[in-house]
Amino acid sequence: MTHHQDYNPEDGFDDNDIRELLPLYALGGLTEEEARLLEVALHRDPFLEAELADLTETTVLLPLAVPPMQPSAEMTADLMSRVEKSAVHRFKAPAATSQASPIARVEPESESGGLAAFLSFLFTTPLVTGAAMAGFVAMVGMVWFLNQQVSTLKSDLVALESNSVTAAAERETLIAKNEILEGQVVSLEDDRHTLEDQLIQQGTANDTLEEQLAALVEERDELAASLAAIESSNTEMLAEAAEIEERLAETERVVSLFDSPNSQLYEVGGTELEPEATGQVIIDPESDVAILSVSNLPPLAEDEVYQVLLIRGSEHDTAETFEVNSSGEDFIVIHAPFPFSTFDTLGVSIEPSGGSFQRTGEIVLLGALIN
Amino acid sequence: MNQLRTLSDEQLMSRTAAGDEAAFEQLYDRYAAKVMGFIYKIVQDQGAAAEILQELFIRLWDRRKQYNSSKARFTTWMFGIARNMAIDRLRRMKRRPAPVESEAEMEQMERAADAGQNVAQEVSNRLRYQQLTTAVQALPEDQRRVIEQAYFGGLTRQEIATTMNIPLGTVHSRARLALKKLGQLLEELQGEHE
């Protein structure tokens, strides 16, 4: 394909096209469709791939021909924060169960020490002993209630931590499954690309077959047209052959007329209208073919012809029409409706172009066919 | 972190894939300014460039396990994603990039240099940048424009032909000649400095 000015991607690319387009492919200057078709072709040809690699060696340097620009510190910090969050999400292990909760670490040891001091104060101070007894009973009840609450909360906390561990384990499992699925997605995408490539190749092959089919159909149509022309020509040739055969048969009949021992020659003379005109006719009385030779007849106007008259008594038949050459001569084969023995006179009249069924014009030649 | 500086991009990416945030941060420090400059070159809007840069590195982090060093260098992979994101934004913004050699870019280079990581790295970056800009500027104007329109402008070959009012075949030949010449110039420049 040497028409490098404009490719039609639907036609596919040949090696010359690809070599023309490789630099623009390396520069990212092709449409997606063009790039995909070119990639299909590249996979088939390691030499083209090597050529592309050479070009890419140069194009990959183009970004470095641009002066750098320092991003802001805020943007960098923001980015790294997002990455860190992502990393924590993906890589950090869940909180270990051995880590004690802040609540669990607050043991009532110091509290019980404080309570003992408080009780010691109450019971070693005589002035407050009576009132303290009532308060003490209430406080013991409150402490008991609070201890119950703490105990319940501890149980809830243990349960929550247990749930948390389970959830973390489930999350890890889900992450692992997600990674497997991501791998499968990548693999499926690769498969899809492969299938797309195959599809494109099959499409290209299909296009080629369609092109071949179209060429064959075109060739068939051309052959059919040639055949029709040949048939037409053949028909014309058959008609021509039939005409030739007819003329040959007539010639044979004329020749036989000359050869026949019954043939007779009669003179035909000009009438008052054309006194200089003369003619001779050869007939076989048993035949319906005769030969007439005329001379000294003047050429006629375009809308007029001479016509042979075959006369018997008061009736006549019209026969062949003819024109004379510049010398006033012609040679006519006459076909009569009956054998010439049935006619007694032969004449020639002037008739309108195409001849007449019955004579309409003046007679210029006339001669008897009887000795 | 000092030890990380000695690692290659691909080694850092391998660690990043295993969840090493420090390795990822090292890659960010190594390339954030370059990629930001590259994105800014395409979108010509500092706010948009910053947004895209942030999204890019979030995307690199999210896709860290998809990177395959046997298929492409890290920079090729990263700049490829960055370009796609920037071109997408550019198409939404309907703006076009400025030429490579503008004075504003030189000032941009100076500002970025002030924020550089260390002297040796900065000298190496500056040398590389000078080599590349020298090579790009040495290209004939019509070839450079095709590169600009395709790579930084995100235009297709048909769009370039229409924009520059030239036949499609001319776009092809200018792109080919430009890359060929750019490759040769870079080889020559590298030879001079080695």
Side-chain angles (χ1 to χ4, degrees), chain B residues 45-174:
Chain B
D45 182 304
Q46 198 163 347
E51 280 177 27
I52 295 168
L53 179 75
Q54 196 169 27
E55 287 308 313
L56 168 70
F57 274 89
I58 291 292
R59 196 175 291 189
L60 294 182
W61 173 257
D62 288 342
R63 296 184 183 178
R64 60 194 180 279
K65 289 182 180 173
Q66 292 175 20
Y67 171 66
N68 184 347
S69 61
S70 67
K71 286 188 177 174
R73 284 200 300 246
F74 171 72
T75 48
T76 306
W77 184 63
M78 176 185 64
F79 279 115
I81 297 173
R83 181 177 176 274
N84 288 341
M85 294 172 75
I87 294 292
D88 284 347
R89 175 68 69 94
L90 177 68
R91 285 181 181 146
R92 290 201 297 272
M93 293 163 67
K94 307 279 185 193
R95 291 174 68 170
R96 293 287 171 251
V100 167
E101 67 275 15
S102 69
E103 277 188 25
E105 288 189 345
M106 293 306 290
E107 289 172 12
Q108 188 180 322
M109 180 73 194
E110 295 297 329
R111 286 197 302 275
D114 292 340
Q117 296 167 0
N118 59 55
V119 175
Q121 184 69 42
E122 191 51 45
V123 169
S124 170
N125 288 344
R126 272 177 168 267
L127 185 61
R128 191 68 174 149
Y129 169 71
Q130 279 177 354
Q131 283 177 345
L132 288 163
T133 49
T134 303
V136 171
Q137 285 175 34
L139 289 175
E141 169 68 20
D142 52 2
Q143 292 177 15
R144 188 164 67 242
R145 279 190 65 201
V146 169
I147 294 231
E148 287 276 349
Q149 304 259 15
Y151 194 75
F152 295 108
L155 297 190
T156 65
R157 61 198 180 98
Q158 288 90 348
E159 289 168 334
I160 296 168
T162 304
T163 306
M164 296 180 72
N165 195 26
I166 53 175
L168 211 47
T170 308
V171 176
H172 299 163
S173 57
R174 284 183 186 175

Side-chain angles (χ1 to χ4, degrees), chain A residues 5 19 29 34 69 76 78, chain B residues 28 33 54 61 157 168 176:
Chain A
Q5 300 296 316
R19 288 210 158 77
E34 288 170 343
M69 177 182 273
T76 301
D78 183 38
Chain B
Y28 178 83
Q54 196 169 27
W61 173 257
R157 61 198 180 98
L168 211 47
R176 174 168 288 282

Side-chain angles (χ1 to χ4, degrees), chain A residues 185-206:
Chain A
V185 167
V186 170
S187 173
L188 284 170
E189 280 182 354
D190 286 346
D191 290 348
R192 195 195 67 186
H193 289 313
T194 307
L195 284 171
E196 279 178 357
D197 289 347
Q198 287 173 352
L199 203 57
I200 290 167
Q201 285 172 4
Q202 283 174 358
T204 307
N206 192 36

Side-chain angles (χ1 to χ4, degrees), chain A residues 14-28:
Chain A
D14 64 21
D15 286 354
N16 289 329
D17 295 338
I18 294 163
R19 288 210 158 77
E20 281 287 320
L21 296 178
L22 274 182
L24 280 152
Y25 176 75
L27 286 166

